[in-house]
Amino acid sequence: MSTNKKLPFVSKEKLEEIIREIPTPFHIYDEKGIRENAQAVKEAFAWNKGFREFFAVKATPTPALIHILGEYDCGCDCSSMTELMLANAMGFDGDHIMFSSNDTPANEYQYASDLGAIINLDDITAIDVFEKKVGKFPKRMCCRFNPGGLFDLSNGIMDNPGDSKYGMTEKQLFEAFRILKEKGVEEFGIHAFLCSNAVTNEYYPKLAEILFRLAVRIHEETGVHIVFVNLSGGVGIPYEPWQEPADIRVIGAGVEEVYNKILKPAGMDDIAIYTEMGRFMMGPYGGLVTTCINQKHIYKEYIGVDACACNLMRPAMYGAYHHITVMGKENEECDHKYDVTGSLCENNDKFAIDRMLPKIDIGDILFIHDTGAHGFSMGYNYNGKLWSAEILLKTDGSWEMIRRPETPKDYFATLDGTPEYKKMFGEN
């Protein structure tokens, strides 16, 4: 695939229409793409009666988008008190809330328990923390597994669980289930997350095989009733235009094959499959829209835009690739080499380094692809930068602002009552 042929889901004309009311930068989301993908996920695992996708709220904590997923029976995977509060405010019941946290304050266990959420314990010591704060254990609980070592797939290293802070060792996991059973828990889940952004159809089936075999052993050795296996997230998206996307229907069929091979013969084919994808559910269906406001010609050619790493941290934090389309120049030759930068007082504030793009002029609109997950949500206020608006491009072609842009008054809100705040905003 040519590097300039990853196309936006929105036209230049539509963006110009939006910009007349909402200045750049802003994040925009494609309702049509979100719905089609959510339906595909649901169909891919329809063979499993209890299947549910618990969308990773951390990826995109925007109610209008999560409500769309809720129409496809998705739940919410929450990792903090405020994410739990958001899921509750949106009307999700306990069966649709998974609380997967780590280094967890005791009061968050209490709140999750009050909501009736499914609590996923990251550490065996959390059992004591939970008991001291909450007291009575719920009927259903989950524990997170970390196999350690390296995770191999197709003779290649996918990730290194041994260096991950998450989950319990196998020995701890067995002990945790025994303890929880003694304390009255009746239904158990197993959870694991072994790699991130796996753009392959093999990851989930491979992980499922590990967890299904583990579930059989746990059941046989402890007698606990395993009611679900949570494959977590990790299914990736093709950020780079030459990558082939994962096929969720092939993935679902692969998990079904392993399910029938391992769980059915063990008489454990009542186990529900859960997932908690964020990136796969939302990533390709969001983009960061920004405008070229400056050009600098020194040792390199720089394009300065009105967005910065505060709007999209991934390139600065990870060196992550995000494709860039210069709107209206999709068919022009990519014959100019640029660093595309923001205005932060940090030299890593770059969306692209030595990127070949069409000639960019002041006022050109740039569409930065695949920001629908871990884009807006990872924003911050360094240099006093303000959070952007979020826009939903609706299925009928209209658009709606689903989050307004932050204002200086929002930024200074926690200084309310100080002399400086009163002076800035004319309060007595």
Side-chain angles (χ1 to χ4, degrees):
M1 183 185 294
S2 171
T3 57
N4 65 345
K5 293 304 180 184
K6 185 173 179 129
L7 298 177
F9 53 75
V10 61
S11 68
K12 179 185 178 185
E13 292 71 27
K14 180 60 67 173
L15 290 178
E16 289 173 335
E17 175 189 326
I18 297 170
I19 290 168
R20 284 194 285 271
E21 295 188 40
I22 312 294
T24 55
F26 54 77
H27 285 267
I28 187 168
Y29 304 92
D30 176 23
E31 181 181 3
K32 180 174 182 290
I34 293 169
R35 288 187 178 279
E36 289 176 350
N37 188 57
Q39 181 63 32
V41 170
K42 190 173 181 179
E43 291 174 1
F45 289 91
W47 55 267
N48 183 258
K49 184 178 179 181
F51 172 76
R52 178 163 293 140
E53 155 64 18
F54 289 81
F55 175 67
V57 173
K58 67 178 78 67
T60 321
T62 305
L65 303 178
I66 298 174
H67 277 305
I68 293 172
L69 297 181
E71 294 180 30
Y72 299 84
D73 196 41
C74 294
C76 292
D77 170 62
C78 301
S79 60
S80 68
M81 174 74 84
T82 47
E83 290 180 0
L84 287 168
M85 292 171 64
L86 183 62
N88 182 45
M90 287 188 290
F92 289 92
D93 61 28
D95 287 338
H96 286 78
I97 301 174
M98 179 77 63
F99 183 47
S100 295
S101 61
N102 70 96
D103 193 20
T104 308
N107 65 313
E108 297 192 6
Y109 285 132
Q110 180 69 68
Y111 186 68
S113 181
D114 291 344
L115 295 180
I118 306 167
I119 296 171
N120 180 22
L121 298 180
D122 179 71
D123 181 19
I124 193 168
T125 65
I127 296 174
D128 288 339
V129 175
F130 186 95
E131 186 169 38
K132 288 176 182 177
K133 180 64 179 180
V134 182
K136 181 178 173 59
F137 283 82
K139 178 181 178 181
R140 173 186 50 181
M141 292 197 85
C142 181
C143 290
R144 185 169 185 166
F145 173 56
N146 182 334
L150 300 173
F151 178 57
D152 295 314
L153 184 61
S154 299
N155 299 317
I157 302 301
M158 291 294 289
D159 219 328
N160 187 357
D163 285 339
S164 169
K165 70 174 182 174
Y166 306 109
M168 305 181 196
T169 67
E170 184 174 303
K171 181 179 179 181
Q172 290 173 337
L173 189 73
F174 275 74
E175 182 64 17
F177 281 131
R178 290 188 182 99
I179 294 170
L180 290 170
K181 183 182 178 184
E182 291 173 0
K183 294 183 180 296
V185 177
E186 299 175 17
E187 298 176 349
F188 294 83
I190 304 174
H191 171 287
F193 178 87
L194 300 190
C195 74
S196 180
N197 197 39
V199 190
T200 171
N201 296 330
E202 299 174 88
Y203 169 56
Y204 260 5
K206 180 67 173 178
L207 174 60
E209 183 173 0
I210 293 170
L211 295 184
F212 294 167
R213 293 191 187 282
L214 182 64
V216 172
R217 286 178 50 219
I218 290 173
H219 173 67
E220 290 175 348
E221 295 183 29
T222 69
V224 301
H225 183 201
I226 307 291
V227 296
F228 70 83
V229 169
N230 189 337
L231 301 177
S232 186
V235 179
I237 62 172
Y239 285 101
E240 299 176 357
W242 45 87
Q243 289 179 295
E244 288 295 323
D247 186 329
I248 197 63
R249 289 183 171 85
V250 173
I251 291 170
V255 175
E256 181 182 17
E257 182 180 349
V258 179
Y259 190 98
N260 291 338
K261 181 176 73 173
I262 298 172
L263 293 181
K264 276 194 173 182
M268 298 174 67
D269 55 348
D270 61 338
I271 286 180
I273 302 300
Y274 293 163
T275 59
E276 48 184 52
M277 297 179 284
R279 194 187 317 271
F280 186 83
M281 299 303 295
M282 204 70 72
Y285 314 110
L288 174 59
V289 181
T290 184
T291 303
C292 173
I293 60 172
N294 188 47
Q295 295 181 344
K296 187 171 184 178
H297 317 285
I298 50 172
Y299 307 106
K300 301 181 76 173
E301 292 294 307
Y302 292 96
I303 294 298
V305 297
D306 57 6
C308 67
C310 292
N311 304 107
L312 178 63
M313 180 196 284
R314 295 186 74 254
M317 186 175 186
Y318 305 120
Y321 181 96
H322 280 264
H323 200 64
I324 297 175
T325 295
V326 184
M327 301 302 293
K329 299 182 178 180
E330 293 87 347
N331 296 318
E332 294 187 14
E333 192 70 25
C334 293
D335 55 2
H336 285 62
K337 183 186 289 188
Y338 296 116
D339 281 14
V340 180
T341 78
S343 61
L344 292 186
C345 299
E346 297 291 340
N347 197 44
N348 68 348
D349 181 22
K350 297 178 179 181
F351 296 112
I353 298 173
D354 294 333
R355 183 75 60 87
M356 298 304 297
L357 293 165
K359 182 179 182 296
I360 298 177
D361 300 302
I362 301 293
D364 277 349
I365 301 168
L366 277 62
F367 182 94
I368 303 177
H369 292 253
D370 302 314
T371 72
H374 310 289
F376 179 92
S377 66
M378 292 175 70
Y380 54 105
N381 285 124
Y382 181 56
N383 279 180
K385 296 295 185 179
L386 303 177
W387 290 66
S388 72
E390 291 184 291
I391 306 295
L392 179 62
L393 181 66
K394 303 178 81 170
T395 53
D396 63 4
S398 64
W399 62 274
E400 176 186 1
M401 183 168 64
I402 55 177
R403 188 190 300 264
R404 67 165 175 82
E406 191 178 29
T407 67
K409 194 165 186 178
D410 296 323
Y411 176 80
F412 292 111
T414 53
L415 297 177
D416 187 11
T418 66
E420 294 80 8
Y421 183 93
K422 292 176 180 179
K423 183 175 181 180
M424 281 189 288
F425 299 106
E427 297 183 5
N428 297 323

